[in-house]
């Protein structure tokens, strides 16, 4: 009997070991697949969840990020602000009024005070709290890419952000979004391993960005889209990011596939940011445009 119990315990421990090993490998291979597609398969369209997937969870919440990972999103877009005591937190608005049970400016509250608030979801109070950037890094390490929409302007805050990314060894998981492409060299001097995604407001700016070193993704606007210009970006080895937010997402909500069909008529785009990531993933997979 003792031998039987001993064998049973050993077998269960072995099964647990296999389960944990397979789970860890799956996480690692998922990030590896995203990075491989990013670098080597421009024909595949990557999906970015705007403020993380938020159909079932508040925007910019840990729950929304977990759901994004679960459904197979490639990139989550998040917004960084700073508390009164200098902690980096995830929050889109300058104020707390729209998205939390609090009111006033984010920067007027300490982290401890911010953590007492709850996030709102579709006009209802959720159980989610405002996450810190460090909590997001802990959650997403080895799993997904992060698009950082940085809402602060001082270099000290940027350096603090970079330091946290470096602390967790996640340089290869970051897209640091810049509203002004001219700031690219300054940030690259801090750490060339952290990928910069500059926004171009015209085809002229696209050409200037492509002359820079180590740029492999450009955020473009629909207003100046032209096949030849976008093809030049892809031929340079960089990706073309475009938003489905607003017009195309609205079309999709009214009639399935209508918005995505219209957007993908712009054939030289291969990263799409949307508020409907699960619908977009299903659309792309049905057309063999996503793994």
């Amino acid at each position: 009997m003792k031998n039987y119990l001993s064998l049973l315990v050993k077998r269960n421990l072995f099964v647990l070991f296999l389960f944990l090993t397979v789970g860890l490998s799956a996480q690692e291979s998922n990030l590896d697949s995203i990075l491989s597609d990013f670098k080597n398969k421009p024909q595949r369209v990557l999906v970015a969840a705007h403020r993380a997937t938020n159909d079932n969870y508040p925007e910019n919440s840990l729950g929304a990020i977990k759901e994004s990972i679960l459904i197979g999103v490639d990139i989550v877009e998040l917004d960084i602000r700073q508390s009164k005591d200098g902690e980096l937190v995830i929050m889109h608005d300058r104020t707390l009024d729209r998205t939390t049970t609090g009111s006033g400016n984010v920067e007027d509250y300490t982290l401890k005070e911010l953590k007492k608030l709850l996030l709102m979801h579709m006009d209802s109070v959720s159980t989610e709290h405002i996450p810190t950037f460090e909590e997001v890094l802990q959650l997403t390490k080895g799993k997904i890419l992060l698009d950082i929409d940085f809402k602060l302007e001082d270099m000290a805050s940027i350096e603090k952000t970079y330091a946290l990314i470096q602390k967790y060894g996640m340089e290869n998981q970051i897209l640091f979004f810049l509203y002004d492409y001219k700031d690219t060299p300054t940030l690259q001097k801090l750490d060339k391993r952290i990928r910069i995604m500059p926004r171009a407001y015209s085809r002229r700016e696209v050409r200037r960005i492509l002359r820079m070193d180590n740029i492999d993704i450009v955020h473009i606007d629909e207003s100046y889209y032209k096949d030849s210009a976008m093809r030049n970006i892809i031929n340079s080895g960089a990706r073309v990011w475009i938003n489905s937010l607003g017009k195309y997402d609205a079309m999709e909500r009214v009639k399935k596939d209508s918005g995505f069909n219209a957007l993908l008529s712009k054939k030289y785009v291969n990263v799409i940011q949307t508020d409907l990531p699960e619908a977009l993933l299903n659309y792309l997979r049905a057309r063999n445009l996503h793994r």
Side-chain angles (χ1 to χ4, degrees), residues 169-232:
M170 294 174 62
E171 294 89 347
N172 67 334
Q173 290 183 238
I174 304 298
L175 305 177
F176 202 98
F177 177 56
L178 286 184
Y179 289 93
D180 188 347
Y181 75 94
K182 299 184 189 72
D183 293 333
T184 299
T186 301
L187 268 66
Q188 287 180 332
K189 288 178 182 177
L190 293 177
D191 193 329
K192 289 185 178 180
R193 297 170 298 173
I194 294 177
R195 184 177 282 110
I196 302 298
M197 180 172 68
R199 179 171 182 171
Y201 295 89
S202 67
R203 288 195 293 272
R204 176 181 292 180
E205 288 194 355
V206 168
R207 291 192 293 271
R208 291 175 177 172
I209 288 169
L210 292 181
R211 287 196 289 267
M212 293 179 165
D213 294 330
N214 301 316
I215 296 297
D216 58 5
I217 184 166
V218 181
H219 185 300
I220 66 118
D221 288 343
E222 180 186 8
S223 60
Y224 61 81
Y225 178 95
K226 190 175 181 181
D227 277 354
S228 58
M230 302 305 113
R231 185 170 58 242
N232 287 340

Side-chain angles (χ1 to χ4, degrees), residues 131-149:
T132 64
F133 183 49
E134 185 162 18
E135 287 172 332
V136 168
L137 293 175
Q138 291 168 345
L139 171 62
T140 59
K141 181 174 172 61
K143 299 175 184 176
I144 200 166
L145 300 185
L146 301 176
D147 168 37
I148 303 302
D149 190 341

